Amino acid sequence: MDSSIFQEYATDLDSLVQGIVDKLEGSAVKLGGDERNAVFRRIERELEEADEIIAQMEVEVQTADHHEKASLGSKLREYKAKVNKQKADLKSKQATADREDLLSRPSAHTAVDMTSRSPSPGGGPNTSSPAYAQHTRLLSATDQLADGQRRLEESQRIALETEGLGTGILENLRGQRDTLTRTRDTLYEADGSVDRAANTIKKMVTRMHQQKAVTWAIVGVLVFLILYLLFSKLF
């Protein structure tokens, strides 16, 4: 694996994270209303892009050489921490903005003196008064905000579980890849052994034919000598 690819991802991620930090500390604080919400949405998209880069970096780490894997893995954990910090900062800014927006909506009515509310005939709060209705809406909005926060926390928990599952799958795939690599190396060694054995057998067959030819030559010479001696005695 070429570690320069990992470094390219790291450079892109650094630039992306710095842009997110600038927005969270700048326009996300200075702006308000719909403009601020638009900045938040853009940051969310950039964080999704950051997650995609992190996923590509994880693949590079998994396919890295053994002596590079530890170093790249350490860097990857640092980048994950940076991205998670920006996610936490975004949620904090969004929660603060929601509270500010919530409190700013009834600002025209909060100046009403609570003592000016007309009591109900029974001495309890006058549920028909505008101030009571505003107070009820405020409590309802607060409950909705708390419910939204709980949903965000649940989504974060599910995301972390999904990330853990994905990491486990990558580890499993890496183990299978290592097994296939070892199996391939074993097959290469076996193939080499078969080739060497085949060459040895060919040499043995060649030597056998050579020895057979020599044997027949010796037999021919002996037969010739015997016949020669016989003819010499006869004549």
Side-chain angles (χ1 to χ4, degrees):
M1 193 275 295
D2 187 359
S3 60
S4 62
I5 298 177
F6 182 93
Q7 188 57 45
E8 290 178 4
Y9 287 132
T11 302
D12 294 340
L13 188 60
D14 282 332
S15 177
L16 190 60
V17 170
Q18 185 58 49
I20 293 172
V21 171
D22 293 341
K23 294 183 184 68
L24 287 174
E25 295 179 353
S27 55
V29 177
K30 298 176 182 178
L31 299 176
D34 293 338
E35 293 180 342
R36 179 169 55 188
N37 291 334
V39 173
F40 285 153
R41 288 192 294 272
R42 182 173 180 181
I43 293 174
E44 288 174 348
R45 291 194 295 270
E46 290 178 347
L47 285 172
E48 290 176 357
E49 184 179 350
D51 286 337
E52 293 176 359
I53 295 176
I54 288 290
Q56 294 296 327
M57 294 171 74
E58 286 179 339
V59 173
E60 294 300 320
V61 171
Q62 295 299 329
T63 57
D65 296 335
H66 180 72
H67 66 279
E68 291 182 332
K69 186 169 295 184
S71 175
L72 296 181
S74 177
K75 293 181 180 178
L76 178 61
R77 287 190 292 272
E78 292 178 1
Y79 282 110
K80 282 185 178 180
K82 288 183 180 180
V83 173
N84 289 333
K85 181 181 183 301
Q86 300 313 313
K87 290 180 180 178
D89 289 346
L90 173 62
K91 289 181 180 179
S92 177
K93 297 287 186 183
Q94 287 175 322
T96 301
D98 289 341
R99 285 194 294 271
E100 291 177 354
D101 291 342
L102 184 62
L103 293 175
S104 65
R105 290 188 189 117
S107 59
H109 301 283
T110 52
V112 177
D113 187 356
M114 299 300 292
T115 60
S116 65
R117 285 188 281 175
S118 301
S120 64
N126 186 0
T127 58
S128 63
S129 67
Y132 184 85
Q134 186 66 42
H135 179 66
T136 301
R137 287 195 297 272
L138 180 61
L139 290 177
S140 176
T142 302
D143 291 340
Q144 291 177 1
L145 180 60
D147 184 60
Q149 184 68 23
R150 286 194 296 271
R151 287 199 296 269
L152 285 174
E153 292 175 354
E154 180 66 14
S155 299
Q156 183 180 17
R157 183 185 64 81
I158 293 174
L160 290 175
E161 290 178 355
T162 304
E163 181 182 0
L165 179 61
T167 302
I169 293 174
L170 287 175
E171 291 289 342
N172 188 23
L173 290 175
R174 184 185 66 178
Q176 294 180 6
R177 172 178 170 273
D178 292 341
T179 300
L180 290 174
T181 300
R182 289 193 296 270
T183 302
R184 182 192 63 187
D185 293 340
T186 302
L187 289 175
Y188 284 156
E189 293 177 359
D191 187 53
S193 298
V194 170
D195 289 340
R196 289 192 295 272
N199 291 331
T200 301
I201 291 173
K202 288 179 181 179
K203 291 178 180 179
M204 292 175 64
V205 170
T206 301
R207 289 177 182 175
M208 180 185 69
H209 287 308
Q210 292 174 348
Q211 292 174 356
K212 186 175 181 181
V214 170
T215 301
W216 281 110
I218 294 173
V219 170
V221 170
L222 291 175
V223 170
F224 176 76
L225 291 174
I226 292 172
L227 292 176
Y228 177 76
L229 294 173
L230 287 174
F231 278 109
S232 297
K233 291 180 179 180
L234 290 175
F235 299 102

